[in-house]
Amino acid sequence: MNNLSKIKRNSPMNWVRSIVLGLLCLAAHEAYSQTLEAKVDSILQDKFQAYATGAVFLVSQDGLPAYRKALGKANIELDVDMNPESVFKIGSMTKQFTAVAVLMLAENEELSLADDITQFIPDYPTHGESITIHQLLTHTSGIKNFTEMKSIMTIAQKDLSPKELIDFFKDEPMDFKPGEEFKYSNSSYVILGYIIELVSGMSYEDFIEKNIFQKLGMNDSRYATDREIVQNRAYGYQQTNEGYVNKRHISFNITYSAGSLMSTVDDLLKWQEALNSNKLLSPETTQLAFTNYELNNGEKIDYGYGWHLKSLNNMSVREHGGSIFGFKSMAVYIPERDIYVVGLTNCDCVSPTQIVRDIAVLAAESL
């Protein structure tokens, strides 16, 4: 009886059935992909038809693009179409890279996440002794967000050093005691960038370029510049009552390690795949970035290190967006389905945040 079963399992007819089933599955996947493409096209056309600017969106599953398209204009004045390779400023998505850079130093035992900031910045006010790197990473430090200070425009166009930028806000009153609340703070990530420089002996820009971009082949990603030539640059715009204007100038020394990186949808997919495959960190250290941390009272904050940790349509997701004059960005990752969706726009008049979330839900239903 056992021999008969083996013959049946290995018969030519069963091989044919397997091939047919495989082809049917492939056809079904292709049909689902086409359905996804049509639905995403419809969403984007409805959203962006009112804008003269543009965007690029990418959807991937298992590391492979299932949707990748550009729409609108990369440069309104020269009438240049956007293309999928366009390079955008990604704003606060920069924080992911800053967080991973800190974890790389921690894994090499060059710092500890429990270190307080006065170990690196001795002249930081007394309350710095109770603020840890962990609290900087999780936005639970209590340090005032300097981009919300009324005096921010007095320095916005100045090329301050990291230490000068920290000196701008370090004497401000604390918003709360460390660990008592979650409040998004660009100041915390500026301090992290400076700590990266002090510990590594490299500028933040050089550290990210050498240890992340070059290592992962993210050849179209870089620290932002308005002066150097950037191939496939998408130009940033703002919308006023009179129409579109070129983005307001701000020094990238001000946004620094909290928001000064540029990238493409393709490079950001490489970034996501590197995180999945632990190319930069051990699995244990990588998981630290995606742990839902707690306040002193035990309340979850729905934030790890550089990522919001949320639920979308009953699925756990990791997400983060960014906004900087002339640009907005958003990316959502669904671990259980290995689906990644990223959208980049070149006008801060239109946000991709909800669009990316909606597309992520569609992708989970269609792929």
Side-chain angles (χ1 to χ4, degrees):
M1 190 66 176
N2 288 338
N3 289 335
L4 180 60
S5 297
K6 289 180 181 178
I7 292 171
K8 286 182 178 180
R9 282 199 299 270
N10 296 314
S11 67
M13 185 58 69
N14 282 330
W15 281 108
V16 170
R17 288 195 187 99
S18 297
I19 293 172
V20 170
L21 285 172
L23 291 173
L24 288 173
C25 289
L26 184 62
H29 180 77
E30 181 66 23
Y32 281 130
S33 295
Q34 291 175 355
T35 300
L36 175 66
E37 181 178 16
K39 290 180 178 178
V40 174
D41 282 346
S42 178
I43 290 173
L44 297 182
Q45 287 167 8
D46 288 345
K47 181 66 178 180
F48 287 93
Q49 63 182 353
Y51 298 95
T53 54
V56 179
F57 284 81
L58 177 143
V59 181
S60 74
Q61 185 181 42
D62 299 329
L64 300 175
Y67 183 96
R68 177 179 177 271
K69 286 189 179 181
L71 61 156
K73 299 295 180 181
N75 187 301
I76 299 174
E77 295 157 289
L78 300 178
D79 194 31
V80 176
D81 290 338
M82 193 73 76
N83 67 67
E85 293 79 32
S86 292
V87 180
F88 295 76
K89 290 162 189 166
I90 61 172
S92 284
M93 284 184 68
T94 297
K95 292 179 174 68
Q96 300 176 5
F97 297 87
T98 301
V100 168
V102 170
L103 288 174
M104 293 170 78
L105 294 173
E107 190 167 84
N108 290 334
E109 298 184 348
E110 297 178 69
L111 57 77
S112 167
L113 301 181
D115 288 342
D116 72 73
I117 60 179
T118 59
Q119 293 180 234
F120 308 95
I121 312 173
D123 67 343
Y124 203 88
T126 306
H127 56 255
E129 297 175 359
S130 59
I131 299 172
T132 65
I133 289 178
H134 165 79
Q135 289 163 339
L136 296 175
L137 288 164
T138 55
H139 299 289
T140 59
S141 69
I143 297 173
K144 185 175 292 296
N145 185 0
F146 79 97
T147 57
E148 295 179 353
M149 292 168 56
K150 291 182 179 179
S151 55
I152 180 63
M153 294 312 297
T154 64
I155 65 164
Q157 297 181 1
K158 295 182 179 180
D159 293 329
L160 301 183
S161 69
K163 184 61 169 61
E164 289 173 331
L165 180 55
I166 292 170
D167 287 342
F168 172 73
F169 61 76
K170 71 179 184 181
D171 292 317
E172 290 292 314
M174 295 280 285
D175 285 339
F176 50 85
K177 292 181 179 179
E180 288 195 349
E181 297 181 31
F182 170 90
K183 185 178 180 182
Y184 195 84
S185 174
N186 287 301
S187 303
S188 292
Y189 272 75
V190 164
I191 295 173
L192 289 170
Y194 186 44
I195 290 174
I196 290 169
E197 294 197 1
L198 293 172
V199 172
S200 69
M202 303 170 65
S203 70
Y204 173 82
E205 176 181 352
D206 288 345
F207 186 93
I208 299 298
E209 175 66 30
K210 178 181 178 181
N211 294 288
I212 297 180
F213 293 159
Q214 289 182 11
K215 191 169 183 178
L216 302 183
M218 296 176 65
N219 300 323
D220 294 312
S221 298
R222 58 171 300 145
Y223 195 87
T225 175
D226 280 336
R227 186 168 177 80
E228 296 178 23
I229 301 300
V230 177
Q231 296 296 323
N232 290 312
R233 179 199 295 272
Y235 286 77
Y237 299 95
Q238 296 176 283
Q239 195 173 31
T240 69
N241 292 333
E242 287 73 38
Y244 293 98
V245 296
N246 287 301
K247 67 171 181 62
R248 178 180 292 180
H249 171 71
I250 185 171
S251 170
F252 297 114
N253 289 33
I254 303 302
T255 49
Y256 185 46
S257 49
S260 281
L261 297 184
M262 302 176 75
S263 194
T264 66
V265 295
D266 294 327
D267 272 4
L268 290 172
L269 177 57
K270 291 179 182 178
W271 168 243
Q272 180 58 50
E273 286 304 294
L275 296 168
N276 287 349
S277 57
N278 302 297
K279 286 186 177 179
L280 299 174
L281 300 166
S282 68
E284 295 77 16
T285 305
T286 298
Q287 191 54 42
L288 293 176
F290 307 126
T291 298
N292 191 349
Y293 292 104
E294 300 177 346
L295 299 175
N296 294 342
N297 63 7
E299 179 185 345
K300 297 285 187 182
I301 63 173
D302 296 334
Y303 199 88
Y305 294 159
W307 278 266
H308 294 279
L309 306 174
K310 297 188 176 182
S311 178
L312 183 63
N313 210 35
N314 296 318
M315 297 177 293
S316 295
V317 299
R318 305 166 185 165
E319 66 172 48
H320 213 290
S323 181
I324 188 170
F325 290 138
F327 299 88
K328 285 187 181 291
S329 61
M330 180 64 176
V332 170
Y333 180 63
I334 308 175
E336 65 187 76
R337 298 294 305 280
D338 196 7
I339 289 173
Y340 183 63
V341 183
V342 57
L344 307 174
T345 70
N346 67 330
C347 181
D348 56 20
C349 57
V350 53
S351 171
T353 298
Q354 192 56 49
I355 302 172
V356 167
R357 289 175 179 153
D358 292 343
I359 293 172
V361 171
L362 274 178
E365 294 172 347
S366 303
L367 294 175

